[in-house]
Amino acid sequence: MPIDAADLEALLPPLDDAPGPELTGGGTADGLRFPGPVLTGDATGARFLECVLTDCDLAGVPFDRARLSTCLLTAPRSPAWSLVDATLLDVVVDGGRFGAVTAAGAGLTRVALTGVKVDFLDLRGATLVDVGLTGCTIGELDASGADLRDLRLVDCTVGSLVLRQARNRDVDLRGAQIDLLDGVADLRGCTISPAQLTGWATGLAAELGIRVG
């Protein structure tokens, strides 16, 4: 089970306030609290260990190849947040608003997103293990070619879900309202609801070469 915000906070040691809002690429932040509102600089390849980021504006701060371990992000925001090839372990994102989150090739293990709103969530080629999305609103979620293991969507609204060539194991989509599914032939390993099956029946028939009429 992915950790929730309350349990994660209980695991954190007493935190020091970060010395400033500027991040340095490749640096290490250990046991720090970033109280916002605006972070600057570059977090490419950086490490965040037992940190809390509260109400932070992440605009223009890349987190590509960064490593976040036992971290809580509360109400982060950015028009575009890049996490390409990043590693997230025991991370909670509680609230927040993003235009686009690009996490292609990233590795997410025991990660929880709660109440997050994002227009475009790019998980192409990513690996997700024990990840939960609860109460999230997502315009488009592209998981093409992703490795999805123990992924659960609860009370989520997804405009478009792309699963082309995704590898699924114990993926539970029943708690999501999904308007459009691209990749119905790649649903193997997913659990869906009867209503979802009815809604996607035409696409499934087309993928299997079945004519209905």
Side-chain angles (χ1 to χ4, degrees):
M1 293 285 291
I3 197 166
D4 62 23
D7 288 341
L8 192 147
E9 284 191 291
L11 292 175
L12 291 171
L15 302 178
D16 297 322
D17 286 339
E22 186 169 0
L23 302 176
T24 303
T28 297
D30 190 350
L32 296 180
R33 183 183 303 275
F34 295 84
V38 179
L39 295 184
T40 61
D42 184 0
T44 301
R47 299 203 311 163
F48 295 83
L49 309 175
E50 297 184 330
C51 290
V52 173
L53 286 73
T54 303
D55 195 28
C56 288
D57 186 339
L58 306 174
V61 182
F63 278 67
D64 299 334
R65 302 187 304 282
R67 180 178 179 84
L68 286 74
S69 180
T70 316
C71 291
L72 172 63
L73 288 73
T74 303
R77 59 195 181 279
S78 178
W81 190 26
S82 185
L83 290 159
V84 174
D85 293 329
T87 300
L88 280 66
L89 172 64
D90 290 326
V91 171
V92 175
V93 182
D94 189 8
R97 179 69 175 91
F98 299 94
V101 175
T102 304
L108 284 68
T109 302
R110 295 193 299 275
V111 172
L113 276 64
T114 304
V116 175
K117 295 182 179 180
V118 55
D119 295 332
F120 176 55
L121 178 55
D122 180 2
L123 295 172
R124 290 175 292 180
T127 298
L128 278 65
V129 180
D130 200 4
V131 173
L133 279 64
T134 303
C136 295
T137 302
I138 302 170
E140 179 178 352
L141 196 168
D142 189 345
S144 301
D147 187 0
L148 307 175
R149 288 173 272 169
D150 296 314
L151 170 65
R152 290 167 297 285
L153 277 64
V154 179
D155 295 330
C156 291
T157 300
V158 180
S160 174
L161 173 62
V162 183
L163 287 178
R164 293 285 178 185
Q165 298 182 332
R167 298 171 299 282
N168 310 303
R169 188 179 73 190
D170 294 328
V171 174
D172 193 341
L173 303 176
R174 290 174 294 178
Q177 175 186 322
I178 301 170
D179 296 334
L180 177 65
L181 175 65
D182 183 357
V184 290
D186 297 289
L187 280 170
R188 181 184 296 272
C190 295
T191 301
I192 64 175
S193 69
Q196 288 171 330
L197 177 59
T198 300
W200 298 333
T202 300
L204 282 167
E207 290 282 355
L208 295 172
I210 300 171
R211 290 181 295 176
V212 180

